[in-house]
């Protein structure tokens, strides 16, 4: 089974930038769709971003569109979330997730936690004002 490990979280001031990483161990997931989710204190886990198995399509939550960028490095078997112009409301635990197969996912489904079969343990991001 695939194991995912997030890193790069920490404390950052509003307006700053941060890059989260998700490294895979075990089976390679380079050809599978990947997603980022986050869970703020006292709230449910929400969709943040998605990148298709081919890397040609990306999707973002409205709250992060234009500020965050999801990307992947095949050689390093790693997915990134570049966070720019962060806001206090971005404070949350961030989780990466992987689909279980090489397939095309319609836009409506990329936001659903149930699409993804593998999840990391999360990395905390705190944005101060």
């Amino acid at each position: 089974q695939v194991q995912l490990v997030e890193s790069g979280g920490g404390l950052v001031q509003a307006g700053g930038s941060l890059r989260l990483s998700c490294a895979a161990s075990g089976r390679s997931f380079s050809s599978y769709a990947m997603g980022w989710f986050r869970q703020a204190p006292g709230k449910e886990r929400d969709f943040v971003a998605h990148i298709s198995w081919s890397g040609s399509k990306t999707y973002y939550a409205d709250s992060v569109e234009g500020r965050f960028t999801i990307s992947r490095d095949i050689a390093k078997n790693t997915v990134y979330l570049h966070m720019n112009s962060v806001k206090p409301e971005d404070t949350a635990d961030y989780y990466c997730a992987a689909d279980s197969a090489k397939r095309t996912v319609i836009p409506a489904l990329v936001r659903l936690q149930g699409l993804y079969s593998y999840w990391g343990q999360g990395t905390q991001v705190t944005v101060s004002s």
Side-chain angles (χ1 to χ4, degrees):
Q1 296 294 313
V2 173
Q3 293 185 8
L4 307 175
V5 180
E6 302 95 336
S7 63
L11 176 64
V12 61
Q13 292 192 43
S17 299
L18 204 64
R19 187 185 73 170
L20 306 184
S21 299
C22 176
S25 62
R27 189 186 72 183
S28 174
F29 64 96
S30 61
S31 296
Y32 298 164
M34 299 288 296
W36 282 98
F37 289 76
R38 66 186 182 185
Q39 186 168 20
K43 297 185 178 180
E44 295 296 311
R45 188 175 299 179
D46 292 326
F47 169 78
V48 176
H50 170 100
I51 186 165
S52 65
W53 64 266
S54 66
S56 64
K57 294 286 292 185
T58 58
Y59 299 90
Y60 299 93
D62 290 341
S63 59
V64 306
E65 179 70 47
R67 298 189 298 118
F68 292 7
T69 301
I70 186 171
S71 62
R72 63 196 310 167
D73 187 323
I74 302 300
K76 295 182 178 180
N77 206 26
T78 301
V79 175
Y80 304 97
L81 183 68
H82 302 264
M83 306 169 62
N84 298 314
S85 302
V86 296
K87 305 175 181 179
E89 48 264 46
D90 293 323
T91 295
D93 289 330
Y94 283 73
Y95 302 86
C96 68
D99 196 0
S100 61
K102 181 179 179 180
R103 58 182 178 177
T104 299
V105 182
I106 63 174
L109 298 183
V110 305
R111 302 169 181 270
L112 303 180
Q113 296 182 53
L115 171 68
Y116 307 91
S117 296
Y118 308 101
W119 293 81
Q121 291 297 111
T123 185
Q124 186 176 67
V125 172
T126 301
V127 182
S128 63
S129 59

